[in-house]
Amino acid sequence: SDTGEKMRITDTGNVGIGTTSPHNKAHITSSGNQDGLLLDLNTGSSGDYTGVYFKVDNNTTNAYKKGGLVWERTGSYNEGRFHFLLNNEDNANNVDLTDSKFTILSTGNVGVGTTSPGQPLHVNGNARVDGDFFIIESNPQIFLSDTNHNSDFSISVNAGLFEIKDTTNSSSRITLDSSGNVGIGNTSPGKLLDVNGTFRASGEAFLTGGFDITAAGRFRDGIAVNFNTNRTARIFTDNNDLIIQQGEDNKDIIFKSD
């Protein structure tokens, strides 16, 4: 039989298992991959948990354990999830599962602020990134959903196009291509601003180049299209009359064909 030393308690009170020179209160040295410390709760029921708890206090009662790392059983064959527990209450209460701040499922999903993460990273609450944030995928998307899902949107990059989509109605609303063209209601914009549909400007619109109207264009009374920096040449409507006005002296209004 093996009569070698199995455990040592030093004169400082350190306990060594597998070592004769323990550096801490408990020091385990092993030579196998699965050797080490095992915490085994033998009740075997779903919802039971065991783990390691943390306390920094001179109180000797079974209280003030404000941190913990526990394993909760949730299924057969000891399937379950890890919880990082933190309790910041200013009292003597110990942590329990309701204090879970960080959870890892057996699937590998990680939850921050949730114990049932539905994605590889699931954050319930605000998140902050101080630095670059990369999404690398063939069609990366960010989904924006309200709690009642009345109007959900996504931001995506697809085939060189940056799109804002209405995911509730499966429709692309704004598209930006690699040339800088912006399409509203148009996923293939041919101009810097390409609007497919009716739009309204409630203020002034300044154009330093030409513009095309390829469908019916309408002007409301009192709204003008101005053509120079002094705004003296303009087209507008007044009491349903179309008025073309040249407000500068010695300037002409010319109608010209190709």
Side-chain angles (χ1 to χ4, degrees):
S1 63
D2 186 359
T3 59
E5 180 179 316
K6 301 298 187 294
M7 184 177 73
R8 173 175 296 201
I9 303 176
T10 68
D11 56 358
T12 61
N14 290 353
V15 177
I17 300 176
T19 177
T20 59
S21 302
H23 303 306
N24 296 87
K25 291 297 182 183
H27 183 166
I28 300 174
T29 299
S30 63
S31 58
N33 288 331
Q34 294 188 355
D35 289 342
L37 179 66
L38 173 64
L39 301 178
D40 186 0
L41 182 65
N42 61 9
T43 58
S45 300
S46 181
D48 291 340
Y49 61 94
T50 186
V52 179
Y53 297 89
F54 303 92
K55 171 181 177 179
V56 181
D57 194 89
N58 59 6
N59 188 290
T60 59
T61 62
N62 184 28
Y64 301 101
K65 292 180 287 189
K66 295 298 184 179
L69 171 61
V70 302
W71 173 261
E72 177 197 7
R73 177 170 175 167
T74 60
S76 58
Y77 299 100
N78 195 37
E79 292 178 334
R81 51 192 171 187
F82 264 119
H83 297 280
F84 290 79
L85 310 180
L86 288 172
N87 181 310
N88 65 350
E89 298 174 354
D90 192 12
N91 54 36
N93 293 345
N94 293 324
V95 292
D96 57 29
L97 282 185
T98 62
D99 297 309
S100 179
K101 301 298 189 290
F102 186 94
T103 300
I104 304 175
L105 301 187
S106 57
T107 60
N109 287 358
V110 175
V112 180
T114 176
T115 58
S116 302
Q119 300 292 334
L121 178 60
H122 185 163
V123 179
N124 181 21
N126 297 332
R128 172 175 169 174
V129 177
D130 289 334
D132 296 327
F133 182 76
F134 293 91
I135 301 177
I136 301 175
E137 193 181 303
S138 58
N139 181 24
Q141 299 184 76
I142 298 176
F143 290 90
L144 306 173
S145 248
D146 56 12
T147 53
N148 55 19
H149 302 289
N150 283 339
S151 185
D152 299 336
F153 286 85
S154 69
I155 301 171
S156 67
V157 175
N158 184 18
L161 298 176
F162 177 84
E163 292 184 296
I164 299 177
K165 295 180 180 178
D166 177 355
T167 55
T168 301
N169 298 296
S170 301
S171 180
S172 179
R173 298 305 187 193
I174 299 176
T175 301
L176 172 66
D177 67 16
S178 58
S179 299
N181 294 341
V182 175
I184 300 178
N186 183 353
T187 58
S188 302
K191 303 291 183 181
L192 284 178
L193 178 60
D194 196 336
V195 179
N196 180 20
T198 303
F199 74 94
R200 180 174 66 181
S202 58
E204 294 182 317
F206 294 90
L207 303 173
T208 58
F211 69 98
D212 299 322
I213 300 177
T214 56
R218 294 181 292 175
F219 299 96
R220 295 184 182 273
D221 277 355
I223 303 301
V225 178
N226 300 297
F227 290 98
N228 57 31
T229 56
N230 296 325
R231 304 180 188 175
T232 54
R234 56 185 186 152
I235 300 175
F236 64 99
T237 58
D238 185 17
N239 292 324
N240 295 321
D241 294 327
L242 176 64
I243 300 174
I244 302 174
Q245 183 181 60
Q246 173 55 273
E248 291 190 45
D249 294 337
N250 301 319
K251 298 294 182 180
D252 298 326
I253 297 175
I254 300 173
F255 294 90
K256 187 176 182 181
S257 63
D258 291 339

